[in-house]
Amino acid sequence: MLYAILCYHDEDVTCSWSKEQDAAVMAKLAVVQENLARQGRLGPVARLLPTTAATTLRKDRDPPLVIDGPFAETKEQLLGFYLVDCDDLEGALAVARDLGAANPGGSYEIRPVGVFRPGSVNP
Amino acid sequence: MTDMDWIESALTSARPQAIGALLRYFRDLDAAEEGFQEACLRALKAWPQNGPPRDAAAWLIMVGRNVAIDRVRRERKQEALPEESAISDLGDAESELADRLDSKHYRDDILRLLFICCHPDLPATQQIALALRIVSGLTVKQIARAFLMSDGAIEQRITRAKARVAEASVPFETPGAVERSERLAAVAAMIYLIFNEGYSANRAEAGARAPLCEEAIRLTRLLLRLFPTEPEIMGLAALLLLQNARAPARFAADGSIVLLEEQNRALWDRQMIAEGLALIDKAVRHRRRGPYQIQAAIAAMHARAAKPEDTDWSHIELLYAALEQLQPSPVVTLNRAVAVSKVRGPAAALDVIEPLAARLSGYFYFFGVKGGLLMQLGRNEEARVAFDRAIALAGTAAEAAHIRMHLDRLMKPAPPLPVARAAQ
């Protein structure tokens, strides 16, 4: 089953990492990802730019309203996600724990994927 | 990252909010800083054992505030006969403080803290040093390294700045809309100064000063999260990101400056460029032009060009003309002239800069541009005179070396014409 691991963290904190700290976290995460990729279990991975670059389209009205910033004002922000193929929740939690050991602080939301299309983008 | 690394970045990120709130309580910069320091010491002891709190800033504010109140209590107790009224006053003050611990204040707290640092009575150098010390939490040693000055000189600069701030009346009331936007503009200008302090350096200094650029970007992102709908703050963030993206390509191996057009664009930081372009897209939608947005748009024209010859110079000329309208200045006109030279040739550009001669007679860059234009027109003798003047006015060794490079080219035979690319 495909699981999304949604990464939440306080952006103020991650933006305070020095370049070296950031690179160190990314290098550790890459090890976990390579492991998953070798097993053929790693789907798309994305790291999002800061929420200051975000725009929200509120479509509960007509015409839809464009708002600066992320959809939800929360203490922790959605900063990225992984798609990982796991047997069950325990498997997904194990992956999340491995990722968490490489990148402490914040939270991972583990969410089973309903529909997945690999898409065609190749930037 | 180790636990301690994690705690340190949590403390750094909570700092502006925590000190801003403590400043509101104590109305005294030193007291706010001391309260925060003490709270940090306690955090370093408590967090590794108990785990970090959910809201680090709130924890630090609460502890910093209690520490200071305890101190006042202790001092009162040491007095021979504590007055009853004094004690009950303190109780009132405490409950009032608790009421004020409210998230809606945070935005104005941080803005006030930044605004105090850019008090108009303070010279720019003091503003920057104070902001880096108080808001960013850089140590005196770190600031001294970035400014290439002694620790003592920076210490003195900060002490003087604090003394002036203490004398001046600090605005503690919640600002109105006009006041808030004025503060925002002053703070944006100061952040841009911090960035330029880090950016306008030669390669030998670039490594030491780079943290100033990163700090300026961090502060701008912080400001933008507080004021997410301000197009000029988006513009400032975009401008800093797009400029900083070019940092890895600015110097050659021998330390000499590499001009924008000669930079290896593969070295530019794509992620910073992506973020900068995204911010400009957002800012443009507001249809409220401003100097930061226009400068960012100019930087974006360069970032979007995969090769120098892809640069849309006629669009850049229009943007400089718009900037000239908003902020008339001979330096902006000079920059427009560079764009004019690309679009309509060096003779047209010379016409643009001719009227600037009197006002820019002491400006290194003016003679550099003038020399370059004359050189393109084959007026080598006049070009040499202009370059000589530029060298005499150069502020740094790197600037002088750069002009000397042009002079060297003047001496050499003409370079071979570029080989025409085969049509595909």
Side-chain angles (χ1 to χ4, degrees):
Chain A
M1 178 161 205
L2 207 51
Y3 285 86
I5 298 180
L6 309 176
C7 316
Y8 287 86
H9 203 324
D10 183 344
E11 199 170 42
D12 278 336
V13 172
T14 58
C15 283
S16 299
W17 290 350
S18 69
K19 241 188 221 162
E20 294 73 30
Q21 286 174 328
D22 195 286
V25 170
M26 289 304 130
K28 280 192 192 170
L29 288 173
V31 173
V32 182
Q33 290 170 43
E34 276 159 27
N35 211 1
L36 290 166
R38 260 198 307 278
Q39 300 166 25
R41 295 170 58 201
L42 185 69
V45 176
R47 183 182 189 184
L48 307 176
L49 288 174
T51 56
T52 43
T55 304
T56 301
L57 187 77
R58 285 230 62 125
K59 53 203 180 61
D60 53 1
R61 64 207 76 189
D62 195 29
L65 187 63
V66 179
I67 304 167
D68 291 304
F71 165 60
E73 283 294 333
T74 46
K75 182 74 191 138
E76 292 181 337
Q77 293 80 28
L78 178 63
L79 302 186
F81 60 82
Y82 304 86
L83 288 185
V84 187
D85 190 18
C86 302
D87 290 339
D88 51 23
L89 175 61
E90 284 311 313
L93 281 168
V95 171
R97 281 194 196 96
D98 287 348
L99 291 166
N103 182 7
S107 321
Y108 287 134
E109 177 179 328
I110 292 144
R111 191 96 162 254
V113 174
V115 176
F116 173 70
R117 295 195 183 91
S120 61
V121 64
N122 190 16
Chain B
M1 271 203 278
T2 64
D3 268 6
M4 276 302 158
D5 274 349
W6 190 88
I7 290 175
E8 257 174 50
S9 36
L11 295 178
T12 306
S13 73
R15 184 181 178 102
Q17 189 180 332
I19 295 198
L22 292 171
L23 178 66
R24 175 159 43 84
Y25 300 144
F26 301 133
R27 308 207 162 193
D28 179 81
L29 211 44
D30 282 328
E33 247 195 320
E34 279 165 28
F36 181 75
Q37 290 304 346
E38 185 57 38
C40 285
L41 290 177
R42 296 193 184 193
L44 287 172
K45 271 189 227 151
W47 294 3
Q49 288 173 14
N50 311 337
R54 266 194 75 79
D55 187 339
W59 192 98
L60 292 164
I61 293 165
M62 205 58 101
V63 171
R65 188 181 68 101
N66 289 343
V67 166
I69 289 171
D70 279 351
R71 189 184 309 131
V72 174
R73 283 215 178 107
R74 267 199 314 276
E75 282 164 10
R76 295 260 160 106
K77 270 184 195 154
Q78 282 161 7
E79 288 169 12
L81 284 168
E83 281 180 38
E84 226 175 58
S85 63
I87 294 166
S88 66
D89 275 349
L90 202 66
D92 288 347
E94 195 172 4
S95 61
E96 198 191 333
L97 288 176
D99 287 344
R100 279 192 264 162
L101 190 66
D102 182 337
S103 64
K104 75 171 188 251
H105 286 299
Y106 286 162
R107 188 176 82 151
D108 288 322
D109 282 348
I110 296 175
L111 184 60
R112 179 184 302 113
L113 186 63
L114 281 160
F115 182 64
I116 283 173
C117 298
C118 49
H119 196 282
D121 289 353
L122 299 180
T125 49
Q126 286 186 14
Q127 293 184 6
I128 299 174
L130 191 62
L132 290 173
R133 178 71 205 95
I134 305 272
V135 186
S136 304
L138 299 191
T139 62
V140 167
K141 209 180 191 61
Q142 285 170 317
I143 300 170
R145 200 183 306 144
F147 277 102
L148 310 163
M149 290 171 67
S150 71
D151 293 4
I154 290 293
E155 183 85 64
Q156 196 180 36
R157 190 178 276 185
I158 293 170
T159 309
R160 283 200 186 135
K162 276 188 183 170
R164 283 212 196 179
V165 166
E167 278 168 29
S169 64
V170 172
F172 281 105
E173 74 289 357
T174 302
V178 175
E179 175 78 27
R180 191 176 281 136
S181 85
E182 281 171 5
R183 286 185 194 184
L184 200 51
V187 168
M190 181 197 62
I191 292 177
Y192 194 35
L193 281 178
I194 294 179
F195 183 85
N196 281 330
E197 198 61 42
Y199 200 73
S200 58
N202 61 46
R203 194 187 62 147
E205 299 169 359
R209 286 179 180 246
L212 296 183
C213 294
E214 285 157 28
E215 191 53 37
I217 290 172
R218 192 174 78 90
L219 290 175
T220 314
R221 284 203 190 111
L222 170 73
L223 211 54
L224 191 51
R225 269 202 298 287
L226 298 173
F227 300 92
T229 61
E230 285 296 329
E232 269 296 81
I233 304 301
M234 296 174 201
L236 177 65
L239 175 61
L240 303 192
L241 286 161
L242 291 169
Q243 284 190 11
N244 209 36
R246 304 201 290 250
R250 287 178 67 220
F251 299 103
D254 64 357
S256 60
I257 296 175
V258 182
L259 279 188
L260 181 57
E261 285 179 70
E262 284 152 19
Q263 288 175 7
N264 176 2
R265 297 184 179 216
L267 295 176
W268 290 359
D269 186 317
R270 288 291 138 193
Q271 196 165 313
M272 282 192 206
I273 289 175
E275 191 180 344
L277 296 179
L279 285 163
I280 292 180
D281 282 352
K282 284 178 64 170
V284 165
R285 298 194 72 263
H286 288 262
R287 298 182 188 285
R288 266 166 48 209
R289 280 195 152 186
Y292 293 124
Q293 291 172 76
I294 295 177
Q295 291 175 80
I298 293 167
M301 298 310 297
H302 294 299
R304 285 196 164 108
K307 300 188 296 293
E309 51 271 35
D310 295 345
T311 311
D312 185 348
W313 284 104
S314 53
H315 195 160
I316 291 178
E317 185 194 343
L318 287 176
L319 288 166
Y320 272 119
L323 189 57
E324 238 177 332
Q325 269 191 333
L326 281 181
Q327 280 186 335
S329 122
V331 173
V332 174
T333 309
L334 183 61
N335 279 308
R336 181 167 66 80
V338 174
V340 167
S341 79
K342 306 283 184 185
V343 182
R344 298 199 294 278
L350 265 184
D351 288 345
V352 174
I353 69 166
E354 213 54 62
L356 308 175
R359 276 176 298 165
L360 295 181
S361 63
Y363 189 45
F364 151 82
Y365 187 51
F366 173 76
F367 291 98
V369 170
K370 187 175 175 185
L373 295 173
L374 289 165
M375 194 171 73
Q376 288 177 52
L377 289 167
R379 291 154 68 176
N380 288 1
E381 199 44 50
E382 291 165 86
R384 194 165 303 148
V385 172
F387 284 144
D388 280 341
R389 184 89 192 101
I391 288 177
L393 291 167
T396 67
E399 284 176 351
H402 181 72
I403 296 295
R404 236 169 255 125
M405 189 179 76
H406 281 299
L407 270 175
D408 289 348
R409 278 187 198 166
L410 269 184
M411 308 301 216
K412 279 184 204 152
L417 290 171
V419 181
R421 219 166 302 142
Q424 291 185 336

